[in-house]
Amino acid sequence: MTATAPAVAVASTLRRAAEQYPQTALWNDSADVAQLRQSIEFGAVGATCNPVIALSVVRANLQRWQPRIAAIAAENPTWGESQIGWRVVEELSIEAAELLLPTFRASEGLNGRLSIQTDPRLHRDADALVEQAVRFSALAENIIVKIPATAVGIRAIEEATYRGVSINVTVSFTVPQAVQAAEAIERGLDRRATDGLPEREFGSVVTIMGGRLDDWLKTVAARERILVDPGHLDWAGVAALKRAYAIFGERGYRSRILSAAFRSALQWSELVGGDLVVSPPFDWQRLVNDNDLPVESRIERPVDPEILDTLTRRFPDFRRAYEPDGMTIDEFDDFGATRITLRQFLDADAALDALVRDVLIPAP
């Protein structure tokens, strides 16, 4: 009899991409520990959290978190719902950060980071954002803190960087936001050098939520009854990400672009090969693996000029999003995607408060 050869395990699409293009860092767009463990098997070297993600993690694990919420309340009898809810966010972030510590230490701080977002209710107060960012930064050695790319947030990003916080820029959808955020990080780092503060790898990233730019332009198209060829609007975020990536390389910024808010596989496949971060939700990672998408470097491949021309001609908001000087810092707050996203984050904060309230004061 001839012995049967043992089956050879085939690496997942994302694992093959991580091995072939290690400079393209995969992060899991969730702090859910079970998902993060699996994502690390796919090659993930980082993870993110925000109010919407934190709320979904708690809701998905109520059997665990309801008793813990009650315990936190008992330990802190004067705390309100918000304080208790944010302690939960801190605890789930610390737990996820622990899984990433080996990568953090092996990469000397470039990767292996867990993102925790500042309270969206502080979005009008730069000083409060900085103080919370500094506090969050001390929760674990590999914490990276999200601060929004708003007019107030840009100021906070510079000061928090100066004070030693690793930054993940969020509520960012456009090339001008990415450029101004990167410049703020540069100013913070330069101030540290001038004052003789320790130099190290901060691992800072500047997010462009490409799918949310797509969403906003689709909203504009529906509202203004603009017809374009099917699929064109799925390239808007990718175009902004590619443009920002090229500018970061030309200018030598010490932060990396991060692709978030996935709406299609393009927000992964079109960026493979770049020295940047892609952060798909866990289910998107499974979709990429299940469909065995091709692994090839496409970061230098330009978006179809016809698509770019259509988007530029038909959508003034795309021009504002695509050109590096398309908006001033003071205009960031009024961009449609900014308003929508801030409102969603604030709604998630309120929903977490309500969840805590239901534990503290159950309905009769």
Side-chain angles (χ1 to χ4, degrees), residues 240-314:
L241 282 154
K242 285 178 178 276
R243 184 85 185 270
Y245 176 77
I247 291 171
F248 274 45
E250 293 163 3
R251 301 185 183 181
Y253 292 144
R254 288 168 282 184
S255 52
R256 291 177 293 173
I257 287 290
L258 183 150
S259 169
F262 274 53
R263 299 296 186 270
S264 79
L266 295 174
Q267 284 139 12
W268 172 77
S269 62
E270 287 295 317
L271 303 175
V272 171
D275 183 8
L276 46 72
V277 178
V278 288
S279 185
F282 183 69
D283 194 50
W284 270 106
Q285 295 172 49
R286 295 175 62 183
L287 280 169
V288 170
N289 286 335
D290 290 348
N291 287 274
D292 194 24
L293 297 184
V295 175
E296 57 183 351
S297 178
R298 299 176 66 92
I299 186 65
E300 301 295 342
R301 187 173 300 185
V303 175
D304 185 333
E306 180 183 345
I307 293 175
L308 277 179
D309 178 66
T310 298
L311 295 176
T312 301
R313 284 188 299 102
R314 305 294 302 280

Side-chain angles (χ1 to χ4, degrees), residues 161-162 183-196 254:
T161 299
Y162 172 72
E183 292 283 356
I185 292 170
E186 292 297 311
R187 291 193 298 271
L189 293 174
D190 289 345
R191 287 171 55 198
R192 287 181 61 83
T194 297
D195 290 350
R254 288 168 282 184

Side-chain angles (χ1 to χ4, degrees), residues 324-344:
D325 58 354
M327 286 189 286
T328 66
I329 292 175
D330 289 337
E331 292 175 318
F332 292 167
D333 296 23
D334 286 332
F335 192 66
T338 300
R339 291 186 178 186
I340 290 170
T341 302
L342 275 177
R343 288 176 62 89
Q344 289 177 342

Side-chain angles (χ1 to χ4, degrees), residues 169-219:
V169 177
T170 189
V171 192
S172 174
F173 321 90
T174 70
V175 177
Q177 284 177 291
V179 167
Q180 290 301 326
E183 292 283 356
I185 292 170
E186 292 297 311
R187 291 193 298 271
L189 293 174
D190 289 345
R191 287 171 55 198
R192 287 181 61 83
T194 297
D195 290 350
L197 295 173
E199 294 188 27
R200 58 181 172 83
E201 174 58 72
F202 279 73
S204 291
V205 293
V206 178
T207 294
I208 291 183
M209 305 173 91
R212 286 180 177 264
L213 177 58
D214 296 352
D215 291 346
W216 172 241
L217 294 182
K218 290 173 184 179
T219 297

Side-chain angles (χ1 to χ4, degrees), residues 5 8 19 40 58 90 106-107 116 124 129 140-141 151 153 155 217 219 224 241 252 279 333 357 360:
V8 177
E19 292 171 354
I40 289 171
V58 174
E90 291 177 10
S107 68
I116 181 171
R124 300 178 63 192
L129 287 171
E141 62 182 294
R155 299 202 305 273
L217 294 182
T219 297
E224 301 184 7
L241 282 154
S279 185
D333 296 23
R357 188 177 308 122
L360 299 182

